[in-house]
Amino acid sequence: MSLPKMIAVVGTNASGKSSLSVELARALGGEVISADSRQVYRGLDLGSGKITEAEMQGVPHHLLDVIDPGTFFTMADFQRMAYAAIDDILSRGHLPVMAGGTGLYVDAVCDGYVLSDIAPDLEHRRYLETKTTPELAEMLRAAAPEAEIDYANRNRIMRALEKLHDGDTLTPKREKRYDTLYLGVTWDRPTLCDRIDERLDRRFDEGMLQEVQSLIDAGVTEDFLYRLGLEYRYISQYLLGKGGSFEEMKEELAKAIKRFAKRQVIWFRKNKQIHWLDMRKEPLWEALELAEAFLKEE
C-alpha cells in the first residue's frame, strides 16, 4: 500500500525556504507546516525569521505560534502536532509542504521516528539543570560514547541524557507514515553569508532589538532566551548588560548564525534523498517539475 505524499523543503537560514514553500503550495494546492524549533513560540517573530501574514500569500500555515515562551517543548510534541496537521491537510485533499531548518524535527516526521511515550522524570531534569554544558557533555560521552550529537547544544545533550535515563535509545526506530520528496535550498558559502548579513540588518531595522526587550519585559526568563540560541541569546545578553557594544554584539551574532548555517548544511547533506535545487537558475520551476513527477508516481 502506497503512503500519502508530502514535500519537505529544507535548508539553511536565509536561504529562501519559506518563500519557495509558499510558491509550491500555491501551485500545487498545498498547505505549509513549519519545522522550526523557535517559530512554535508566540512572540518570537523577527528573531526566529517567522514568515509574515503578507508573505504567506493566503497559504495556510501550521505549527506557528502554538505555545507560549518558557513552555517546555520537545521533538515528540512537535511530531505529534505535525502528524495531526499533516493528516488534517491530507483529509481535505491538499498537499502537505513542510518547511524548515530544524533537521531533527523534519526527520522525526518524515522518517517516522518511533518516540518513547515515557513521561519525563522532572526530578532528573532538575538535576541535569545544575550541570554546566561541558559537564553534561562528559556525562553523555561516558554513557554513550558512540552518540553523534552537537556537544555545544545544551538542550540536545540534556534530551539525550534524559532518554538514556528513561531507558530509551538514542537511535529511534522508524515507521514512516508518509512518502516524502525532499527539496534542498541553500547557496554557495559567500552568497549565503551575504544573505545572512542582509537579513540580519533588515531584522534589526524592523525592530528585533525591541522584540527581545518586550519578551524580557513580559517576564520571559534570561535562561529561556539564552537557550533559544542565536538572536535571542546574543540580543538578550546585550540588553541585560552582559555583552559589549551593539556593533560588537551584532558582529558576533552574524558569525554565530553563519556557523549554525554550516552545521545545518552538514546535517542535511547526510540525507541522500534530498534534491538540491540550483538557486541561481529557476528553483521554483525545478522544484515544480520534481514535485509533479513525484506526485504522479504510484
Side-chain angles (χ1 to χ4, degrees), residues 19-32 54-61 95 97 284 288:
S19 59
L20 180 64
S21 301
V22 167
E23 294 298 337
L24 277 175
R26 290 184 68 201
L28 300 171
E31 301 181 23
V32 176
E55 290 167 339
M56 292 179 189
Q57 300 185 58
V59 172
H61 279 62
L95 175 68
V97 180
L284 175 59
L288 283 172

Side-chain angles (χ1 to χ4, degrees), residues 205-243:
D205 289 343
E206 291 171 348
M208 186 162 59
L209 207 67
Q210 292 77 8
E211 175 179 289
V212 179
Q213 184 63 60
S214 69
L215 291 168
I216 295 171
D217 293 344
V220 178
T221 66
E222 176 185 349
D223 180 62
F224 178 78
L225 291 168
Y226 189 88
R227 288 191 189 189
L228 288 172
L230 298 179
E231 294 85 352
Y232 295 101
R233 173 179 298 178
Y234 283 82
I235 295 173
S236 64
Q237 292 296 289
Y238 164 73
L239 291 172
L240 293 168
K242 297 185 178 182

Side-chain angles (χ1 to χ4, degrees), residues 229-293:
L230 298 179
E231 294 85 352
Y232 295 101
R233 173 179 298 178
Y234 283 82
I235 295 173
S236 64
Q237 292 296 289
Y238 164 73
L239 291 172
L240 293 168
K242 297 185 178 182
S245 68
F246 172 78
E247 289 301 328
E248 289 171 332
M249 177 273 291
K250 183 180 173 184
E251 182 179 351
E252 289 304 311
L253 173 56
K255 290 178 182 177
I257 295 172
K258 291 165 188 172
R259 289 194 297 269
F260 178 69
K262 186 175 181 179
R263 292 198 299 272
Q264 286 178 302
V265 170
I266 292 170
W267 177 281
F268 288 120
R269 290 289 184 191
K270 292 186 293 185
N271 184 345
K272 302 306 179 184
Q273 298 179 68
I274 296 177
H275 298 267
W276 291 97
L277 304 174
D278 188 341
M279 302 301 292
R280 294 197 175 277
K281 293 184 179 178
E282 297 289 344
L284 175 59
W285 296 117
E286 184 183 0
L288 283 172
E289 284 183 5
L290 289 166
E292 288 166 357

Side-chain angles (χ1 to χ4, degrees), residues 85-98:
I86 291 168
D87 291 345
D88 175 57
I89 293 167
L90 289 167
S91 73
R92 290 182 281 105
H94 293 176
L95 175 68
V97 180
M98 177 167 282

Side-chain angles (χ1 to χ4, degrees), residues 167-188:
D168 207 347
T169 62
L170 297 185
T171 305
K173 296 178 181 177
R174 291 166 169 78
E175 292 180 4
K176 291 184 67 170
R177 293 193 181 196
Y178 314 106
D179 184 11
T180 305
L181 169 67
Y182 295 90
L183 300 174
V185 181
T186 191
W187 299 81
D188 60 86

Side-chain angles (χ1 to χ4, degrees), residues 88-214:
D88 175 57
I89 293 167
L90 289 167
S91 73
R92 290 182 281 105
H94 293 176
L95 175 68
V97 180
M98 177 167 282
T102 302
L104 202 58
Y105 281 14
V106 174
D107 290 352
V109 173
C110 297
D111 284 348
Y113 285 1
V114 179
L115 302 175
S116 171
D117 58 0
I118 300 173
D121 185 335
L122 298 181
E123 185 174 343
H124 184 65
R125 181 178 297 162
R126 286 191 288 270
Y127 165 72
L128 294 177
E129 294 277 9
T130 66
K131 301 295 183 180
T132 66
T133 301
E135 287 172 337
L136 292 171
E138 283 306 310
M139 291 170 64
L140 183 57
R141 287 191 182 97
E146 76 288 352
E148 294 185 8
I149 200 165
D150 177 6
Y151 283 97
N153 188 319
R154 180 180 178 87
N155 288 344
R156 194 74 52 78
I157 299 170
M158 284 187 60
R159 185 64 192 130
L161 287 168
E162 286 187 280
K163 290 174 71 174
L164 293 172
H165 174 77
D166 294 339
D168 207 347
T169 62
L170 297 185
T171 305
K173 296 178 181 177
R174 291 166 169 78
E175 292 180 4
K176 291 184 67 170
R177 293 193 181 196
Y178 314 106
D179 184 11
T180 305
L181 169 67
Y182 295 90
L183 300 174
V185 181
T186 191
W187 299 81
D188 60 86
R189 185 69 180 171
T191 302
L192 180 61
C193 288
D194 287 343
R195 289 175 64 92
I196 287 171
D197 289 334
E198 291 167 6
R199 189 176 77 156
L200 190 59
D201 286 339
R202 184 170 64 254
R203 288 153 81 192
F204 273 119
D205 289 343
E206 291 171 348
M208 186 162 59
L209 207 67
Q210 292 77 8
E211 175 179 289
V212 179
Q213 184 63 60
S214 69

